[in-house]
Amino acid sequence: MPNVPPHPSPRPYAGLPLAWAAVVLVLTLTPSDEMPRTPVWELLSFDTAAHAGVFFVLAGLSWFSLRRQRHWPRLARHAGAAVLVASVLFGALIEELQMTMRLGRHGEWSDLLSDGLGAALAVGLATAWAGRLSKKARAVASIFRAGLLLAGLGSGPVQAQDVARARRTIEKLAAPEMHGRGYVQQGEHKAAAYLRGRFKELKLEPLAPDYTQPFTLDVNTFPGKLQANCLLNGQGGMNCIGLGWQPGAALIAAPNSGSGQAHGRIQVLDSTVLADTLKWAWWRQQPLHGRVLLMRKGVADHLDKLPAAVRQQLDSAAAWVTVVPKLTASLAAEQAPQPRVEVLASKMPRWQVPDRYNTPTSITPENGNVEAYIQVDAQLRRNYQTQNLAAVVRGTAQPDSFLVVSAHYDHLGMMGKDAYFPGANDNASGVALLLELAAHYARPENRPACSVVFLLFGAEEAGLVGSSYFVAHPLVPLQRIKFLVNLDLLGTGEQGATVVNGRVFEAPYQRLVALNNAHHYLPQLAPRGRAANSDHFPFSEAGVPAFFLCTRGGSTAYHDVNDRPAALSLAGFAGAFGLVRDFLNEEGATIGAKKNR
């Protein structure tokens, strides 16, 4: 998957309102001769206009700053209310200081009212300008866009306000209340409900009742306690080392972990044992009941190649601990016979003493043993009901021919009671781009010639379950699908994008490259061959031509707790929108496009 750069350093937007506030304080608290009192407040007076104008500027700059900061998404969403409250409080502070500092000035309620009116006017205009409150403002924007189209400028990337809306979509889907869009606390159902609402807002036609295609799956979940400690039992007694590996940050449950507790001496399974028959003979004589088996990821990856008798011996251990260079969570449909966890290598103690086979059988400082305490509350959910979401914009000329845009909305959910996986890049970003394309084709001026279907798949992280179910139970005839574009990991783009199946469907890929070269949407495109790494795969295996588009560059957060909205630059988001839109148009979404290629 693509590597993404660190989130660009924040611009000093906060400096604008702070600087203006400093100017206001200097102007209002400068000593002066006794100021004349204004006994009656007048709406149309110089004093009223001055106060309102000063706070109009202050509120406007504050709104601009809060809307663009990314540290507090909730504050950005409610910037208007925050600015109004702060402006009134700041105005009250000034009036209080003028009364108490004896500067020759008067604190008056009428001045505070003027301050509030100026701030309210600024917030109202700013909010309407952003397209949130005023239908008339949206109509003006539509006329402006239509003018761009007539002028031949409409084929460029999506407008800036759409990228801002997409970021809000990502923040919503990755928020804590979505619980990682997984199978603990109904996270994926909450995400699906939100997305149904978005489909309804766009007035898309449902392809199934309430846009919903239900299906079931088996999935292992971790709704309760997740804990692992490492304890040194030496001459000095029991001392904790590495106590409290934090779930999500230093510790995760293995996808197939069983439920239970284990407290026992650590037994190290070294990589050299895998290739040495003599060592295995020694190992098979060792009782593993009550022991915690410790191994590195390279060893764990090869255990399925061992003889069944050896695997059975390993399964008798009380618990498994796998040391990994990076925590990368996943899902499984079955459970192991014991609790299994993965611990970040940088958090492991490094004491090792070799045994007679030069294999570290326990991590043992002098005259001591290392023990581990493991607890995992796991629940294997059988026949868990989840869903795909499906909508369509019917074509005006060829309604029975289909282009498909897909993305998966699910993610990994929660692990323990506190750790959750936000899944901002994977795949709230792809869902956001799909919704922007749906909004584009839902507009009357952009109605497609052939039908455009929008599919949001569930259970992709569980093994492409939702998309496989759709292919087995299609809501539109698969043979009538002209092309499918699957969107996954679209939150970056500094290094361009990868097109999976670009080497399989070479002619469509060359058309994609030509569009990108003509409009410079993304820095570069890189083709890749067949890969079962996202929801395009069941379709292409069934004979449907399909691409999987993902952007490259930036944050390395993937399947971990750090895949958050703040890490996403969205550097290639607008370009990906323009590229996919133009490709769909060439494939038949606009009248005059070739019917057969």
Side-chain angles (χ1 to χ4, degrees):
M1 293 299 173
N3 295 325
V4 244
H7 189 59
S9 58
R11 297 179 181 178
Y13 292 120
L16 297 173
L18 291 176
W20 184 251
V23 170
V24 173
L25 283 173
V26 170
L27 293 175
T28 56
L29 300 181
T30 300
S32 70
D33 296 334
E34 181 70 17
M35 301 288 290
R37 292 186 177 272
T38 307
V40 180
W41 184 71
E42 296 179 2
L43 180 62
L44 299 177
S45 69
F46 175 80
D47 188 58
T48 299
H51 276 272
V54 166
F55 273 77
F56 178 90
V57 175
L58 177 63
L61 293 175
S62 300
W63 184 90
F64 177 82
S65 175
L66 286 180
R67 288 271 295 181
R68 278 155 180 79
Q69 59 83 25
R70 297 300 174 200
H71 293 293
W72 302 285
R74 189 182 298 273
L75 189 60
R77 290 194 297 272
H78 303 287
V83 167
L84 279 176
V85 171
S87 297
V88 171
L89 293 176
F90 185 60
L93 174 65
I94 289 175
E95 299 305 316
E96 179 67 21
L97 292 175
Q98 287 180 335
M99 285 191 297
T100 58
M101 293 179 66
R102 303 183 183 279
L103 302 172
R105 296 175 180 269
H106 307 299
E108 298 181 358
W109 70 268
S110 58
D111 292 341
L112 181 59
L113 180 59
S114 301
D115 299 341
L117 287 176
L121 181 61
V123 169
L125 291 176
T127 306
W129 174 78
R132 289 186 172 185
L133 298 179
S134 173
K135 293 182 179 179
K136 184 178 294 185
R138 289 194 292 271
V140 171
S142 297
I143 294 171
F144 180 70
R145 283 194 296 268
L148 289 178
L149 289 170
L150 290 174
L153 301 176
S155 60
V158 65
Q159 299 299 313
Q161 61 267 31
D162 293 328
V163 175
R165 178 174 60 189
R167 188 173 283 279
R168 292 194 295 273
T169 299
I170 294 170
E171 291 168 350
K172 176 68 175 179
L173 289 171
E177 57 264 28
M178 291 294 180
H179 307 298
R181 306 192 303 281
Y183 308 97
V184 175
Q185 299 191 32
Q186 301 288 298
E188 49 78 42
H189 285 303
K190 293 178 180 180
Y194 164 73
L195 293 168
R196 283 191 204 97
R198 293 291 298 271
F199 276 176
K200 290 174 183 177
E201 287 177 5
L202 295 172
K203 296 181 171 56
L204 303 182
E205 178 184 336
L207 273 178
D210 199 23
Y211 303 99
T212 303
Q213 182 188 42
F215 64 92
T216 62
L217 77 156
D218 297 340
V219 61
N220 198 27
T221 63
F222 306 99
K225 183 168 286 188
L226 173 61
Q227 183 179 355
N229 299 332
C230 192
L231 307 170
L232 168 61
N233 182 11
Q235 290 181 335
M238 187 71 75
N239 303 301
C240 294
I241 54 173
L243 175 63
W245 284 317
Q246 184 180 355
L251 169 77
I252 60 174
N256 65 339
S257 174
S259 188
Q261 300 181 33
H263 183 190
R265 179 181 173 183
I266 286 179
Q267 193 87 15
V268 177
L269 179 61
D270 187 76
S271 60
T272 59
V273 179
L274 299 178
D276 192 312
T277 305
L278 182 61
K279 290 179 180 179
W280 267 122
W282 181 86
W283 256 86
R284 291 191 58 185
Q285 298 174 10
Q286 304 306 305
L288 294 183
H289 298 283
R291 297 291 183 91
V292 175
L293 199 61
L294 177 70
M295 70 196 82
R296 295 192 177 274
K297 184 178 186 300
V299 176
D301 290 343
H302 288 85
L303 294 186
D304 58 347
K305 300 176 183 178
L306 297 175
V310 174
R311 295 200 304 270
Q312 185 176 1
Q313 168 77 349
L314 299 179
D315 282 341
S316 68
W320 287 17
V321 177
T322 302
V323 182
V324 296
K326 178 190 179 299
L327 297 179
T328 304
S330 187
L331 299 175
E334 71 284 333
Q335 273 192 0
Q338 70 277 99
R340 299 180 178 183
V341 297
E342 298 179 4
V343 176
L344 200 60
S346 61
K347 302 297 183 180
M348 282 295 299
R350 299 183 179 277
W351 304 321
Q352 295 184 353
V353 174
D355 67 356
R356 61 193 177 115
Y357 289 114
N358 198 32
T359 300
T361 57
S362 59
I363 301 180
T364 52
E366 294 182 4
N367 303 315
N369 295 319
V370 174
E371 298 180 348
Y373 172 78
I374 311 292
Q375 181 176 358
V376 179
D377 292 341
Q379 181 181 359
L380 180 59
R381 308 198 67 172
R382 299 285 188 186
N383 298 314
Y384 181 95
Q385 182 162 314
T386 184
Q387 61 278 306
N388 297 321
L389 304 178
V392 63
V393 176
R394 293 289 178 185
T396 57
Q398 298 173 283
D400 295 327
S401 292
F402 302 94
L403 292 166
V404 178
V405 181
S406 67
H408 74 90
Y409 69 90
D410 69 303
H411 197 51
L412 300 170
M414 301 190 69
M415 197 166 284
K417 295 182 178 180
D418 299 317
Y420 83 101
F421 296 84
N425 198 26
D426 185 19
N427 183 38
S429 62
V431 173
L433 187 52
L434 179 145
L435 290 174
E436 293 303 319
L437 288 163
H440 172 79
Y441 285 111
R443 296 188 190 106
E445 67 270 21
N446 298 328
R447 297 289 291 197
C450 67
S451 297
V452 181
V453 174
F454 298 94
L455 301 178
L456 290 171
F457 293 121
E460 188 266 359
E461 302 289 9
L464 313 183
V465 180
S467 52
S468 297
Y469 185 87
F470 186 96
V471 169
H473 307 84
L475 299 178
V476 297
L478 296 183
Q479 65 272 19
R480 301 294 297 171
I481 298 177
K482 303 174 69 165
F483 215 96
L484 177 143
V485 179
N486 182 56
L487 306 172
D488 199 348
L489 298 161
L490 271 299
T492 62
E494 290 84 350
Q495 297 176 16
T498 296
V499 184
V500 177
N501 277 352
R503 292 196 178 111
V504 178
F505 303 101
E506 294 183 357
Y509 176 72
Q510 291 305 320
R511 292 195 292 274
L512 199 68
V513 171
L515 287 169
N516 193 56
N517 290 341
H519 300 285
H520 307 290
Y521 287 125
L522 295 167
Q524 64 175 354
L525 298 180
R528 185 174 171 181
R530 175 176 173 270
N533 54 356
S534 194
D535 286 315
H536 67 287
F537 186 72
F539 287 89
S540 57
E541 291 296 288
V544 176
F547 284 154
F548 159 30
L549 184 73
C550 62
T551 51
R552 293 183 286 113
S555 165
T556 57
Y558 175 73
H559 278 217
D560 57 36
V561 297
N562 299 313
D563 184 11
R564 301 182 180 277
L568 302 186
S569 64
L570 297 187
F573 192 91
F577 174 92
L579 181 62
V580 174
R581 177 201 58 200
D582 289 1
F583 178 76
L584 294 175
N585 288 347
E586 280 207 353
E587 292 297 315
T590 56
I591 296 174
K594 290 184 179 180
K595 297 181 181 180
N596 298 297
R597 292 187 181 273

